[in-house]
Amino acid sequence: MSIQQKYDIIIVGAGAAGLSLATSIAETPELKNRRVLILDKEQKLGNDRTWCFWEHGEGRFDEIITQSWNNIYFHSKYISRRLGLEPYYAYKMLRSSDFYDHTLASIESSGNVDFVIDSVVGVNAQEGIVICSNGSYQADIVFSSKLPEDLDFSSHIYTDQHFGGWFIEFDEDVFDNEAATFMDFRIEQNDEHRFCYVLPINKKKALVEAAIFSKNHQTKDGYDDIIKGYIEDYISKSRYSIHDKEYGVIPMTNYPFWKHNEGKLYHIGTAGGAVKPSSGYAFKRIQQHTERIIDCLKSNTSIEDSYKIFRGRHLLYDSVMLHVLEEQKISGDKVFSDLFEKINVDVLLRFLDGDTNFIGDIQIMKAPRMWPFIKGMAKVISPLK
C-alpha cells in the first residue's frame, strides 16, 4: 500500500466535530507543531443545518452566532411558560454556514492543517492508514466522524429525532424577538413525540422548525405541512416569505459508540456518542469533547480518557428518559410539561447538559410521575459501559 503523506493527526469528516477539533488543534500553542490533515468528500458550503445551545457567559463562537435570547417559551396543552434564563444562561443560535466560514478561515491561516477533498473508502485502524479514492494517508492518530458500519442497536434503546425547518420573514412584526420558543407541543402528536420551536432573528424573521421523536420519517412535504399549519395556528395568518429550508435526522440512543474505537482510530461527533441521547442536542457536547481531546493531546495521555464525559450517571438518566418515551410510550408532552412546571430552569438546563449535582438529579426525578421512571430505571440499571 503506497502512502502519499504522513501526518501526526488525520481527521475524517469536515462537519461540526471535525472542524471544531481541527481549529482547536490549530489554535493551541502546545500543538502548533502537529501536522494535521482533514479529509472530506466535499467542502461544506452554505447553510445545511442550524445548531442551538445554552451557554453561561461568553463562548468560543460568540462572534458568529446569529442570535441569542435570555428568555424561552415552553407550550403544551397543560401549561404555557415564559422563562427567564438570566443570570444563568443565554440560548444561542449558530448557522452552519457561518461556522464553516469561520473555522475554514482559521484552518487556512494556521500553517499546520491541510484540507484534502477526497472520498474515504476505508481505514486500517491498527496502522493509522486512511484509504481514499485517490490515495492513502497515515497518521499516529485518526479521528473519524463517519459512523461505523457494524452498528447493532438491538440491545439498546434507539429512535431518531427528525426535523424540517423554514427560515421565514413576515411583512409585519409578529415575533417576540427577546424569547425563543424552546418547545411547543400543542401540535397534533399522531402517537409520536412532536413539537415545534421558533427562533426569532428579529420581529419579522425567524427559523420555525418541526421536530419529531420516532423512527417514522416524514417526506419533506410532511414536515412542510406541519410547519405551515403551526405558523397559521400559533404565529400569524399574515403574509410571509420563505428564505431557506433545512431537513435532517439525529440518532437518539444509549448505544456506546466509543466501543468502536480501536488501534489508532477514535470516533468523534455523532459517531463518537456526542449526541445527547434524551434530547438530540450535540453541538455543545462536541465542544466539550473537543476540549477533553485537546487536554489528552497536550498531556500525551490516552484519547480514551476523553470519552468519560459521555458515560456515568447521566447516561443512565438519558437511558431512563428514552425508555419512558420510546418503550413505555409516555407522552413527551406530559413529561416535559412536568419538568418545566416544577423545576427551576437553571437546574433543568443543567440536567439537559448532564451537569447537575446529586440534589439536582433528585429534583428532576421527582418532578414527573414517578412510576414510569422507576420502571425505566429497573430496565436499564445494568451497567452502561
Side-chain angles (χ1 to χ4, degrees), residues 135-317:
S136 298
Y137 305 87
Q138 188 173 26
D140 297 326
I141 302 174
V142 177
F143 295 101
S144 177
S145 57
K146 291 186 65 174
L147 287 170
E149 296 181 356
D150 54 341
L151 296 175
D152 181 5
F153 297 112
S154 60
S155 299
H156 297 83
I157 307 170
Y158 172 87
T159 192
D160 285 323
Q161 179 182 161
H162 44 103
F163 59 87
W166 291 359
F167 286 89
I168 63 173
E169 182 174 8
F170 279 88
D171 291 344
E172 59 188 47
D173 294 350
V174 299
F175 296 110
D176 175 1
N177 64 323
E178 295 183 352
T181 299
F182 187 71
M183 285 180 166
D184 191 337
F185 280 97
R186 292 175 294 180
I187 61 175
E188 181 63 42
Q189 296 296 295
N190 284 14
D191 296 321
E192 296 176 318
H193 311 293
R194 296 183 172 198
F195 61 91
C196 285
Y197 53 93
V198 182
L199 306 174
I201 298 170
N202 55 44
K203 292 183 178 181
K204 295 181 180 179
K205 296 181 181 180
L207 168 61
V208 181
E209 197 139 306
I212 304 173
F213 293 3
S214 77
K215 297 176 184 176
N216 302 314
H217 297 186
Q218 301 284 310
T219 63
K220 289 184 177 180
D221 288 343
Y223 300 110
D224 290 349
D225 288 342
I226 296 172
I227 297 166
K228 181 180 179 181
Y230 178 80
I231 293 171
E232 292 178 352
D233 292 341
Y234 298 107
I235 299 178
S236 175
K237 297 186 185 296
S238 301
R239 188 172 65 178
Y240 62 87
S241 57
I242 303 171
H243 290 188
D244 199 2
K245 295 184 178 182
E246 64 180 32
Y247 305 90
V249 180
I250 303 169
M252 297 172 61
T253 178
N254 60 355
Y255 185 86
F257 288 95
W258 50 85
K259 291 273 191 177
H260 295 272
N261 296 341
E262 59 172 321
K264 298 180 178 181
L265 174 65
Y266 300 91
H267 292 85
I268 57 175
T270 300
V275 174
K276 180 75 169 169
S278 61
S279 67
Y281 279 89
F283 188 81
K284 188 173 181 181
R285 281 163 59 95
I286 286 172
Q287 305 314 313
Q288 292 168 338
H289 191 212
T290 297
E291 291 175 5
R292 298 298 178 89
I293 291 173
I294 294 298
D295 288 341
C296 292
L297 292 173
K298 288 165 57 178
S299 61
N300 199 31
T301 54
S302 172
I303 304 298
E304 287 293 345
D305 291 345
S306 68
Y307 293 87
K308 292 177 181 178
I309 62 171
F310 300 146
R311 306 175 191 176
R313 72 181 195 280
H314 282 95
L315 177 57
L316 174 61
Y317 300 154

Side-chain angles (χ1 to χ4, degrees), residues 56 121 175 250 342:
H56 180 69
V121 296
F175 296 110
I250 303 169
K342 300 175 183 179

Side-chain angles (χ1 to χ4, degrees), residues 11 13-28 38 51 60-61 94 99-100 102-104 106-107 268-269 282-291 293-294:
I11 299 172
L19 291 176
S20 293
L21 180 56
T23 52
S24 292
I25 294 172
E27 294 168 3
T28 301
I38 304 174
W51 297 297
R60 179 182 176 191
F61 297 106
L94 174 59
F99 173 81
Y100 297 146
H102 176 78
T103 52
L104 289 170
S106 176
I107 287 167
I268 57 175
F283 188 81
K284 188 173 181 181
R285 281 163 59 95
I286 286 172
Q287 305 314 313
Q288 292 168 338
H289 191 212
T290 297
E291 291 175 5
I293 291 173
I294 294 298

